[in-house]
Amino acid sequence: SPSTEDNGEKVLYLPMETAGPNSLDPVKGSSQYDSRASSYVYQTLLQYKYLHRPLELEPLLLTEMPEVSEDGKLYRFKLRQDVFFHDDECFPEGKGRRLVSEDFFYSLKRMASKKNQPKSWWLMADTIVGFDEFKAEQNEANEFDYDAPVEGMKILNDHEFEIQLKEPFYRFTYTLAMFQTAVVPREAVEHYGKKFSRHPVGTGPFLLKEWEAGSSMTFVKNPNYWEETYPNDPGLNKDGSEPYLGYLRDKELGFYQDAGKKLPIIDRVELKMFVQKQPMWLKFRIRELDYTAVPAENFSEAYIKRTQKLRKEYADMGIRSEPVPLVDLIYYGFNMEDEDFGGYDDRQKWLRQAISLAIDWEERNEAFYNNLNGIYDGPIPASLAGHPKNGSLPYAYRGPDLARARKLLVKAGYPEGKGVPKLVFFTSRAARLAEMAEMSKRHLAKIGIELDVRLVDFSTLTDALRNRRAPFFGLSWVSDYPDAENFLQLFYGPFKSPSSNNFNYDRPEYNKLYERIRVMSPSSERTELYEQMRDMVIEDAPMIGSMERTRYFLINKRLQNCKPIESFKLAQVPQRQIAEISQEPINRCGPTLSAGSFTTFPSSWRLCCW
Amino acid sequence: MLSRFLKSREAKKLFRDKSAIVAMVVIAGYLLVALAMMFDVVSRDDCANVVGPNSVPGFFLREEPERRYEIARTSLFGKVKRALEKSDPEAALAEVQLGKLRVADKTPAELQAIVDEAVAIQDQLKEAESLDDDPEMLSLLETFESITAELVAPLSGSDRFMHGVALLLGTDAQGRSILFRGVYSIKVAIQIGVVTALVSVLIGAVLGSAAGYFGGWVDALVVWLYTTFSSIPNLVLLVVIAYAFQATDSDVKDTLLPVYIAFCATFWIGTCRVVRGETMKLKQLEYVQAAKTAGFGSMRVLFRHVLPNTSHLLLINFSLLLIGAIKSEVILSYLGLGVKSQPSWGIMIRDAGNNGDVMTGFFWQIGTATALMFVLVLAFNILSDALQDAFDPKHL
Amino acid sequence: MSLIEVKNLVKHFPVRGGLLNRVLKKVHAVNGVSFTIEKGEILGVVGESGCGKSTLGKLIIRLLEATAGEVIFKGRPITHLNASELLPFRRQMQMIFQDPHASLNPRMTVGNAVREVLSFHNIVPRQELATKVKELFSQVGVNLDSIDRYPHEFSGGQKQRIGIARALAVNPEFIIADEPVSALDVSIQAQVLNVLMDLKNEFDLTMLFISHDLKVIDHFCDRMLVMYLGFILEEVPCQDIHADALHPYTKALLGANPVSDPEKRHELTVLEGEVPSPYHPPQGCPFVTRCPLVTEQCHAEMPPLVERIEGHRVACWEV
Amino acid sequence: MAIVLLVMLLLRVRDPVPGMMGKQATVEDIANKREELGLNRPRYVQYFTLLQQMVTFDFSQELWTQPGMTVGELLRKSVPISLLLTLPALFLTTVISVCIGMISAYARGRLLDKILVFFAVLGMSISFLVYIIFGQYFGSYQLGRLVGQPVFSIHGYEPGLQNWAYYMLLPVLISVIVSMGYNTRFYRAVMVEETTQDYITTAWSKGASTSKIMFVHMLRNAMIPIITRIMITLPLLVTGSILLERFFGIPGMGDALLSAISNNDFPVIEVFSSIFAGLFICSIILTDVLYAVFDPRVRLQ
Amino acid sequence: MHKSKALLTVNNLSVGFHTDRGDVTAIEDVSFEVRAGEILGIVGESGCGKSVTGRSIMRLLPKFNSFIDPQSEINFEGINLAQADEKTMRTLRGDRIAMIFQEPMTALNPVFTIGWQLDEALKYHTTLKKSQRRERAVAMLKSVEIPNPEQRYHEYPHQLSGGMRQRVVIAMALCCDPELLIADEPTTALDVTIQAQILRLMDELRKKAETAVILITHDLGVIAQICDRVIVMYAGQIVETADVYSLFKNPQHPYTKALLESIPQTGRQHHQTRLPTIEGIVPSLFDLPDGCRFQDRCTFRTQECVDREPQLSDEVDSRKVRCFFPLENLL
Ligand SMILES: Nc1ncnc2c1ncn2[C@@H]1O[C@H](COP(=O)(O)OP(=O)(O)OP(=O)(O)O)[C@@H](O)[C@H]1O
Ligand SMILES: Nc1ncnc2c1ncn2[C@@H]1O[C@H](COP(=O)(O)OP(=O)(O)OP(=O)(O)O)[C@@H](O)[C@H]1O
Ligand SMILES: [Mg+2]
Ligand SMILES: [Mg+2]
């Protein structure tokens, strides 16, 4: 059996549903997994509060939230002065150096260098005064000069600096909590060169000890971590109300037991990679993993589908269920530049609407998501301003309403779907998407439209989208920050492919509205505009949707203080502070589980198999 | 040719082998089914269409209460409920259908009443901790089932039969008939098997015999070709070819053609080797030399005198490749590179794997696919064994 | 003019092997053989297994390409003709093979095997094919009912006769019979020899008759060549070989041949010494290793094939 | 080296760069990337560069999908792991199936033979995938729970020989079961061939015992086909088993290769296929050498 | 001709095979005896059961599809070989009874040295030490006139010529001084000069060591040359046995006679004459005619031959014949 000499160490065993991050260099990363893995080692200026729901930002490497000027364009930052980089051979004498203002700007400027092949430039594009010019200039030059000045970036001193924005972009604050803007030391980048991707040096609570590509990563505690502490008990408000949603439950679950303790509490984190879900689930069940997101296909094993409650056997073992609604958008999209299905003519619009009316989201939800997902109209998910009440709008084209769809087809000149060309549908090959495509094909067949399914790998899909070759496609969008603007920008004309507007939707009215809301702070006026934009999208139907998921996490008793989130491409469970481990040893095959858990396992089969 | 074979010693040997006869009967059965599929006895649509609630188990398993609840909830009840909420319930109701099941011939108002009643019971049921051992809840469940059943129009005789057949082996996660899909896959499997085996045997035979017969640069070329091909790991080659097809835009990739090509590209090698060896042996034989002295051209000698005498090898190779193709299809489909837009055993196994069927104890889908495939492959295995024995002069 | 003239025919087979399939060595199968065959004559070739008899036959009929030398058929060299030029000669020369079983395509009825040859060469008009086949079969004494049967349904002697029928189908003038009776029992051997004899008498066929059985050659041929390791050691008329043979090897063969009569038992001649390898034939006479009469000269030089009397040539320094 | 060419041509059907660059890349970015990877050079230049690298054993190319990691490193890591899986599997399969094949050949025509062959065929008739799915669920998960402690790992890998049985034994067993059918039948045929040889009769006529006949005379002669078969599979050892590695989370070469293919990681695929081809050639040479060891007839002069 | 006691007595030996066309009896009711120092020849057409007879004495018929009739008796010095168990056979084989097989090319195991293979039998049957065994093996090689025996001892079969190989096989058979040697067409594949060598060797052996030899061949010349007595077989049965002189002089069975006549005669008077032949073919073992098995081809056939199967006659002048109308002395 495996060696896990825990010798008093507190070790976390966590799954990651991928073959592993590609790179730990923040500017090169893009995926959720890159983000998760990086977050052990690197830190950003801001972070989301650990226990607060809905999420709220707080300073991390800063002493306080940035000061924003009246016009919303000038940001002023104060760095903590007790933050040191990891001890590493790239520093003189191997001692980690103190973090200074210079480091943050250096890290931002790395996004601009062509050499780094940054996937993150879009975050900074057209945002900071003089940054775009800096990028153009330096990439032209022979040598990229990181010391060259940028107009909008000003160092005041060691620990104070200012950033001047072109416009009062509200989202800029959120950007500062995204891992792409994490702070890296210049010494390490220059010392390790290409290897830097696999040899991270940051300010975070953990050090990367081992990385078995494709199978596991081990992080160990950073002994020189600065004085970050576990969040303190905010207490009930004076009027007895909760300071945030779910505070009382958190308190009851003992999330505040460790308040004020120095972080990190854990000595070692073992990330295990899983490409297949079956082994991950099985490993959780023998308690070799401390938590897992419940794969949809195993939901009914752990939960009673009818009540969506955890089964008794699981609850009895101290396993905790944490449903986490994702802020996301699962949709089908049209390429608006497609000859047959795109376009802004009424006929073309009706055709798209008819297609939308044929798609049965409920059935999909039932077959693949255990009926757990939320279905809503328009592109704005539930927790954000602009989301329709109850998720539904009477004028939306939500299927299945075949009668209406047929009528629209007649109106569009395709009675019974006759004359509609084959609808070529691009979707990624992963897991159950193929089955889902088959379902959609069936749905469309009912109104006489033939779906031509192209199962492709993800890179081919993105390629097809970029080249505007995919007339119809299935995708999902996970928000980068909790603001509907992040969803509405998907339809902004100038962001057409190869940028994020995969629909190539381009309506001047819409674009104008977007330019307005981009620089607005939250307000009812802004929400109104959001709704207006949402309805335009619904009517023109470049997108068919929508669905958002709830992720069900199961957490073993051993793992305390763990409150998962999953949104904004953040970690599934915020790792940095985490979690007390109870001293209960890992009992890999809890005998308590075996008796009851066979309930879903027909007895007649048990005999055959042994 | 056939009649000759039937008279031959080998055929007699073959027909004396009882297991071979059984195997041939089984294969004939499969072929018949495949033929029936060609005439759309079960069409592609039948495989794609929903015939019942999701993941209904097949004939011999008693359903547990939780599942019964789910089945009752997800059959017509849910659909009717939603249809009634639509702006035009009449029209919407007309669309409601689950396989052969349709909404009972009632007015929307009547239906609404039934639905309301059901919803009330459902609310009660939802509250229950567990349905398993609570007799009160069980009876409630029964009521729920019977009420929801009222929404369904009774089936006519033949429809009821077809409904029963469709549900015989249960349904998959999307409510499609496992039986239909499994049976339809026979056609796909046989198509893939026969076409790839045929083509690769053909390629292998032509190249192999040409190489063996002519020797010289032809031989060098063929040998070079197959060493090149075989020095790439088989599965990797399959995958690379399959991927290469993915990238093309043509309609071809939705057919079985990429699968055929991927398989043929790797499968011909074995046959080619064997045939080449055999041809080199036959070339020395005196009847081939006699044919040469008679002045026959090399093509005539090759096709009339050499190739027919490798036919036993071709036959054996054919059956082995057929098995190989059917088995590899499963793996390719699992990797998402195999069959598209129609069911196949590979896809069924893939779906079952992706759906966690094994873990939830739902063995119907994977079981059906495996069993159907197992029997066919077993039959072919036995047959090819018997063929091998029959053509082995040393074997008695 | 003789029907066939063979001049200095040489055949070396490369033996390949090793990693790169290099030519490792050469088998010297036929080493400069010359002789002639007159029309209507049966020339026997004897020699032990592997001495190059079949190779010689195949060289003459162009189943193998000669390394050197020439074969002249009716005054026309045929060694370098290409396939189409060769076609007319194919009709005039045929071969009967050693192994009656291997010489018929197991997947063709015997009737078809013969018919194929007939129709390919347009020997007779289509409608007469069937009759012609029957005629051929009755000529060699095969039951006419069996035309539509497959080779495995025949006995060895019958198969050999069918082989002969196929060879006769093109009305050849010259037949190479490569050990047509070695694989057969004495009783069947007699049948086949009789058939050949009849054909010779009837059509005045010319034959190169290969065998390693002296008794058969002696009985059947007009003249015989004695081969050893690819060389001709002696050419002798078959009237009374026992008396005429001069070469020590021929004599040894005759002496080692047991007589089928216990009363005439005699001490069989036993040759000491080993047969040299065909890969490295000795420089001088190939028979030196076993020859009772060996001298210095034999080691040094291959004796020429010298005509002693009309139709009797010997290659030996000592006789 | 044609193999490399072939693989390259097949790979080039797709353009890898856009996929690599993510959604936000601009046309210019893509062009840059192309230039960096050398994809804009003519094909033959790329081909010869690769050849040169292969000949000089230069594996320092960086992975496209895993910046900072060289192909050499990847191979160094994954190949040994794959070998830990494939070598024992090959060994077990060969030993077991040679033995069964021999027994079966010896008992040819009798019930025992029929039973053995039937089971071999039975085993062959089920999909590999099904074996894996069931093996993982019943073999590691349910068995572990039945016994009360983990017997086989469900997923994952740790280096170290003491961990071998835990992580590798089940996959090894599965692959043994799967390949046993073919091998048993093959070795049986070889052995049957042997039993009918005249020299075996000669050995009997000398009064040799059954075991002597089987293990001395027959086995020694059967070595040639056995070696050939093993040698054919030898290069495949380094490719590992794609499916097993995927399912059991063993970070071997098969897994790496499949990821590389699906992520268009050309350097890995190209380097690997050249190495594989090299191995293939080596195995042919080795086969020749071993032939000479076991068969005096082909011993080189 | 000495008349010593019979070494081997075969009584009513019948052997059959299970084949894909059903069971066949390959040899039926074969009875004969061999005395020490005697060479017994067995002749007959191909497939008439000569080898099967030899192999059944060694009990080396293929295990999986052959069967010996339980009535059969093969008495070797008091042991019934037909019923003996495998262990007894193992001690006899190679030691007291040895066999030489038809094909010298394949009878030797290609992967072991000549020495190893010679040594094997000695190892099983003698208590000699390794060096002694080696000495003996080399001596054996010498006695079969293999040049350079010391060196050949270490060579592999493929390094030897066909004739040498056959002699090695003979040496192997003889190395434990067997009392009975069964030689199954030991010279068919060889050229006449080497054949002569081997025949001489066997002749010496029987003279020197009193070894009994069963010589199976279809070459009547060989029979005439060295055998004492001859058995003629046809379609699985013995049709005639006689001493070699009387058989050749006065064949009594029509088949024997026809066989002898079809040998091509040498000499001027016979040159290029038609040969007498036996018309027809050997009946297949699967559909043997009732009555005499030679009836279809016999020139002397009568109705009786068709109706009744002739039995082997009692011994007259040490001759037996299976014919209703044995031929008189015609020569
Ligand atoms: N295709 C070939 N390749 C290499 N060597 C060959 C080939 N054919 C014949 N030989 C060799 O040439 C020599 C003469 O062979 P050939 O067949 O002519 O002998 P033969 O006298 O007909 O013998 P046999 O009586 O056995 O038929 C032999 O040593 C043989 O091994
Ligand atoms: N293993 C076997 N299985 C079936 N039948 C066999 C077997 N061995 C021999 N026979 C049959 O037994 C009969 C006698 O065979 P046997 O080998 O004794 O003939 P033979 O006289 O030695 O012929 P040859 O001169 O060709 O060696 C033949 O008809 C043969 O078909
Ligand atoms: Mg020959
Ligand atoms: Mg025999």
Side-chain angles (χ1 to χ4, degrees), chain B residues 84-375:
Chain B
L84 289 170
E85 288 161 9
K86 290 268 144 65
S87 50
D88 182 1
E90 289 275 1
L93 280 171
E95 299 287 349
V96 170
Q97 126 180 47
L98 189 67
K100 297 267 176 223
L101 303 181
R102 288 187 168 274
V103 184
D105 193 13
K106 296 190 166 103
T107 62
E110 282 168 336
L111 290 172
Q112 187 67 53
I114 298 175
V115 167
D116 289 344
E117 197 181 343
V119 169
I121 298 177
Q122 193 186 10
D123 287 342
Q124 267 175 287
L125 281 170
K126 264 191 189 157
E127 294 306 310
E129 250 323 289
S130 156
L131 295 181
D132 287 336
D133 24 44
D134 189 340
E136 196 183 323
M137 282 300 155
L138 278 178
S139 72
L140 207 57
L141 178 61
E142 262 158 44
T143 331
F144 183 59
E145 283 175 323
S146 61
I147 291 175
T148 50
E150 277 176 42
L151 296 169
V152 183
L155 287 174
S156 71
S158 68
D159 276 354
R160 193 162 62 218
F161 174 73
M162 279 314 286
H163 185 67
V165 169
L167 290 178
L168 190 65
L169 295 179
T171 61
D172 69 359
Q174 292 190 44
R176 299 176 295 190
S177 165
I178 290 177
L179 178 72
F180 286 170
R181 289 172 71 74
V183 167
Y184 185 84
S185 305
I186 292 177
K187 182 193 112 175
V188 176
I190 289 197
Q191 231 173 323
I192 290 179
V194 168
V195 172
T196 44
L198 210 61
V199 174
S200 13
V201 162
L202 218 67
I203 298 175
V206 169
L207 288 185
S209 58
Y213 186 75
F214 294 110
W217 65 268
V218 182
D219 189 34
L221 183 76
V222 171
V223 170
W224 177 82
L225 209 63
Y226 73 59
T227 25
T228 304
F229 268 90
S230 54
S231 65
I232 303 174
N234 205 321
L235 193 52
V236 173
L237 190 61
L238 282 186
V239 170
V240 171
I241 292 178
Y243 265 108
F245 262 99
Q246 289 295 317
T248 61
D249 249 346
S250 61
D251 283 343
V252 165
K253 59 177 190 23
D254 271 356
T255 60
L256 291 174
L257 198 66
V259 182
Y260 294 153
I261 291 182
F263 285 162
C264 291
T266 52
F267 282 8
W268 64 276
I269 296 166
T271 318
C272 182
R273 273 210 175 108
V274 177
V275 171
R276 174 173 169 265
E278 184 72 9
T279 308
M280 297 219 286
K281 207 170 85 194
L282 289 177
K283 192 169 76 167
Q284 301 297 330
L285 282 189
E286 296 178 341
Y287 66 84
V288 178
Q289 305 216 329
K292 276 202 231 167
T293 45
F296 299 157
S298 10
M299 282 302 151
R300 191 186 180 96
V301 178
L302 195 57
F303 285 103
R304 297 261 309 171
H305 296 269
V306 176
L307 262 185
N309 285 298
T310 58
S311 61
H312 61 289
L313 291 178
L314 301 184
L315 199 63
I316 292 163
N317 260 285
F318 178 82
S319 72
L320 289 177
L321 291 185
L322 204 132
I323 300 170
I326 293 176
K327 287 173 74 177
S328 308
E329 181 272 322
V330 173
I331 289 172
L332 265 203
S333 293
Y334 172 77
L335 294 174
L337 300 166
V339 176
K340 310 235 157 50
S341 64
Q342 52 187 317
S344 80
W345 292 325
I347 288 185
M348 289 173 75
I349 293 176
R350 176 199 76 190
D351 289 353
N354 284 341
N355 294 340
D357 280 4
V358 175
M359 275 180 281
T360 43
F362 185 79
F363 290 89
W364 288 98
Q365 176 150 244
I366 194 170
T368 303
T370 305
L372 282 175
M373 183 173 135
F374 173 74
V375 173

Side-chain angles (χ1 to χ4, degrees), chain E residues 51 102 184-185:
Chain E
S51 301
Q102 207 159 338
D184 188 356
E185 313 201 17

